[in-house]
Amino acid sequence: MKAIIPFKKENAKSRLGDFLTEKEREELAIRMLKDVLGAVSGSKIEEVEVLSTCSKDEITEELKSDTELKSTLKLTVREDARELNEVLNDVITKEKEPVLIIMADIPLATSQSINEIIEHEEEVVIAPGRNGGTNALLLRRPSAFFVSYYGISCSKHIETAERRNLSYAVYDSFFISTDIDEVEDLVELLIHGKGFSRDYLRRIGVVLQMDKNSKIRAMIDRS
Amino acid sequence: MKAIIPFKKENAKSRLGDFLTEKEREELAIRMLKDVLGAVSGSKIEEVEVLSTCSKDEITEELKSDTELKSTLKLTVREDARELNEVLNDVITKEKEPVLIIMADIPLATSQSINEIIEHEEEVVIAPGRNGGTNALLLRRPSAFFVSYYGISCSKHIETAERRNLSYAVYDSFFISTDIDEVEDLVELLIHGKGFSRDYLRRIGVVLQMDKNSKIRAMIDRS
């Protein structure tokens, strides 16, 4: 099966803008993509297409350095500057084989969870993200579907499956649900992460601290 | 198998204090407990003990009204005002049979996820909550374990299992991870909830709105 990973590097993760510099956000974004690719590589997925809004050569170069992917994984990078829904709907209209659309900012995703998603028999499998998002979406007949990211996309995707008479399942995973958008999401990455992006956060001095209400927070030590 | 659900009604959910009145927070807390009990009742769990910091009669009365539990479920309420770790460690020291400790504020928990947790063969199964918590904890030999809630309890519970040479697994569930503590958690309950607590939020006028950054937020309409 093929996976499609949409990726945006320039001005990545703008909601972390008060916490990390632009360069750090871009570095984090590419490392999260590497973590997702690592999870995909360890799963039964055979082919990955990274749909990038920035230069193909740049991403290909970044991914070469220390990313260890299984030798049988076919990885391509495609440059496409169009808006997410537009490009994805264009891609799936032409796609005859099943695809898994998986986000690039879910570095806690595991090979096991990816396998569990693709082992479902339903025509559509929706793995929700926090705040109404859809962080992984399996489409057995991509051309029969229509994606609507942004807003409460998980509900929209369920409605689309219902309206088009496609069988569907909701896949329940904390690690897949955890997209890294805001400072508080970094807490999850530091606690549960094992990959490149967790290592990067540690290296630039992001640490966990407990505030006076016993809530765990991510802080940065720039000393 | 037996489940233990710690429950606190008085001054429940204080971090929702700027959003809901004390009475509303208490009402929400009891409805979330009912949703968790419903999920437990639909699972293979045969016996539930609610460990309540407030009056046993009060909780028993609340739970009677319109909660539909399977007739074979043995439900008891025990009043114990002690601090969470103290009371749980006291209980598990004396417990000879496996127990599932499950939080009362995870109304999205499903019977399926509870069954999946208890079907694990490991001696300890840890289902993480957001922000380092442990929202469900299966202990096959309770007296061999020691709980440490608060702080990054999921890591502490993993360390305890390792130190005591108990096999363990981390159970990955978005719905179990979603404890309702803060206003932004209400978004998840409104999007994914199907039970008493979701209905209650709707009834008191909590609705979803998209802010100018396309982020979904819970608002209350007191008109």
Side-chain angles (χ1 to χ4, degrees):
Chain A
M1 191 181 297
K2 179 179 174 178
I4 296 175
I5 311 181
F7 179 70
K8 184 171 171 256
K9 187 183 168 192
E10 72 289 2
N11 197 23
K13 301 289 135 202
S14 53
R15 280 192 265 165
L16 288 170
D18 293 337
F19 192 79
L20 301 178
T21 65
E22 185 175 351
K23 172 87 176 132
E24 286 168 342
R25 285 181 279 130
E26 289 187 3
E27 292 283 330
L28 178 62
I30 193 89
R31 280 166 179 79
M32 294 201 290
L33 171 62
K34 283 185 180 190
D35 285 335
V36 173
L37 273 174
V40 167
S41 173
S43 79
K44 291 175 185 167
I45 295 280
E46 293 134 0
E47 189 182 344
V48 179
E49 183 170 64
V50 175
L51 268 181
S52 171
T53 54
C54 68
S55 148
K56 179 181 161 173
D57 294 346
E58 192 182 335
I59 298 298
T60 311
E61 196 55 41
E62 294 268 23
L63 293 182
K64 261 193 221 158
S65 69
D66 58 44
T67 320
E68 280 180 33
L69 304 177
K70 68 184 172 203
S71 58
T72 52
L73 189 78
K74 192 182 156 202
L75 173 65
T76 53
V77 177
R78 191 146 73 86
E79 203 176 316
D80 199 318
R82 284 178 293 172
E83 182 270 334
L84 186 65
N85 287 320
E86 192 185 349
V87 59
L88 283 175
N89 281 318
D90 187 30
V91 167
I92 64 177
T93 307
K94 299 163 189 163
E95 187 61 64
K96 290 188 172 50
E97 298 295 319
V99 295
L100 176 72
I101 301 170
I102 183 164
M103 295 296 123
D105 62 350
I106 52 169
L108 303 180
T110 63
S111 303
Q112 188 194 334
S113 53
I114 293 170
N115 282 337
E116 284 177 12
I117 291 172
I118 66 183
E119 279 159 10
H120 272 79
E121 286 175 4
E122 286 82 358
E123 289 173 291
V124 178
V125 183
I126 297 146
R130 285 272 295 181
N131 218 256
T134 305
N135 287 356
L137 180 64
L138 172 71
L139 303 173
R140 296 227 166 262
R141 287 192 290 139
S143 62
F145 203 77
F146 183 84
V147 302
S148 315
Y149 285 90
Y150 305 121
I152 307 179
S153 68
C154 66
S155 302
K156 292 191 228 167
H157 290 144
I158 288 172
E159 283 160 24
T160 301
E162 285 173 343
R163 210 169 46 236
R164 298 194 174 196
N165 279 315
L166 300 167
S167 61
Y168 70 91
V170 172
Y171 180 72
D172 173 23
S173 163
F174 170 53
F175 295 135
I176 298 266
S177 78
T178 307
D179 37 58
I180 307 299
D181 280 322
E182 304 190 358
V183 179
E184 63 183 30
D185 302 324
L186 300 178
V187 171
E188 308 304 334
L189 183 48
L190 284 168
I191 293 176
H192 300 285
K194 295 182 175 75
F196 295 107
S197 46
R198 192 272 313 256
D199 290 350
Y200 179 71
L201 286 184
R202 285 190 178 173
R203 185 150 60 75
I204 61 174
V206 184
V207 293
L208 295 175
Q209 279 194 351
M210 198 185 283
D211 73 10
K212 62 183 195 309
N213 299 315
S214 300
K215 180 159 178 167
I216 313 295
R217 296 196 183 273
M219 315 285 281
I220 192 154
D221 180 0
R222 300 254 184 219
S223 63
Chain B
M1 189 180 300
K2 179 179 173 178
I4 296 175
I5 310 180
F7 179 71
K8 183 171 172 255
K9 187 182 167 191
E10 72 287 2
N11 197 23
K13 301 289 135 200
S14 53
R15 282 191 265 165
L16 288 171
D18 294 335
F19 193 80
L20 300 179
T21 65
E22 186 175 351
K23 172 85 176 133
E24 285 167 343
R25 285 181 278 130
E26 288 187 5
E27 292 282 332
L28 178 62
I30 193 88
R31 278 166 180 79
M32 294 201 289
L33 171 62
K34 284 185 181 190
D35 285 335
V36 173
L37 273 175
V40 167
S41 172
S43 80
K44 291 175 184 166
I45 296 279
E46 293 135 1
E47 190 182 344
V48 179
E49 183 169 66
V50 175
L51 268 180
S52 170
T53 53
C54 68
S55 147
K56 178 181 162 173
D57 294 345
E58 192 182 334
I59 298 299
T60 311
E61 195 57 39
E62 294 268 23
L63 293 182
K64 259 194 223 159
S65 68
D66 58 42
T67 320
E68 279 180 34
L69 304 177
K70 69 184 171 203
S71 59
T72 52
L73 188 78
K74 193 184 155 200
L75 172 65
T76 55
V77 178
R78 192 146 72 87
E79 202 177 317
D80 199 317
R82 285 178 292 172
E83 183 271 333
L84 185 66
N85 287 320
E86 192 184 349
V87 60
L88 283 175
N89 281 318
D90 187 31
V91 167
I92 64 177
T93 307
K94 298 163 190 163
E95 186 63 62
K96 288 186 173 51
E97 298 295 320
V99 294
L100 175 72
I101 301 170
I102 182 163
M103 294 297 123
D105 61 352
I106 51 169
L108 303 181
T110 63
S111 304
Q112 188 194 334
S113 54
I114 293 170
N115 281 338
E116 284 178 13
I117 292 172
I118 66 183
E119 278 158 13
H120 272 79
E121 285 177 4
E122 286 82 359
E123 288 171 293
V124 177
V125 183
I126 297 146
R130 285 270 297 181
N131 219 255
T134 306
N135 286 356
L137 180 63
L138 171 71
L139 303 173
R140 295 227 167 265
R141 287 192 290 138
S143 62
F145 203 78
F146 183 85
V147 302
S148 314
Y149 285 91
Y150 306 120
I152 308 180
S153 68
C154 65
S155 302
K156 292 191 229 168
H157 290 144
I158 289 172
E159 284 159 24
T160 300
E162 284 174 344
R163 211 170 44 238
R164 298 193 175 196
N165 279 315
L166 300 166
S167 61
Y168 70 91
V170 172
Y171 180 72
D172 173 24
S173 163
F174 169 54
F175 296 135
I176 298 266
S177 78
T178 306
D179 38 58
I180 307 298
D181 279 325
E182 305 189 358
V183 179
E184 63 184 30
D185 302 324
L186 299 179
V187 171
E188 308 305 333
L189 183 47
L190 283 169
I191 293 176
H192 301 285
K194 296 182 174 76
F196 295 109
S197 44
R198 194 271 314 255
D199 291 350
Y200 179 71
L201 286 184
R202 284 190 179 175
R203 185 150 60 76
I204 61 173
V206 183
V207 292
L208 295 176
Q209 279 194 350
M210 199 184 285
D211 73 11
K212 63 183 193 313
N213 298 315
S214 301
K215 179 158 179 168
I216 313 294
R217 295 196 182 275
M219 314 285 282
I220 192 156
D221 179 2
R222 300 254 185 219
S223 62

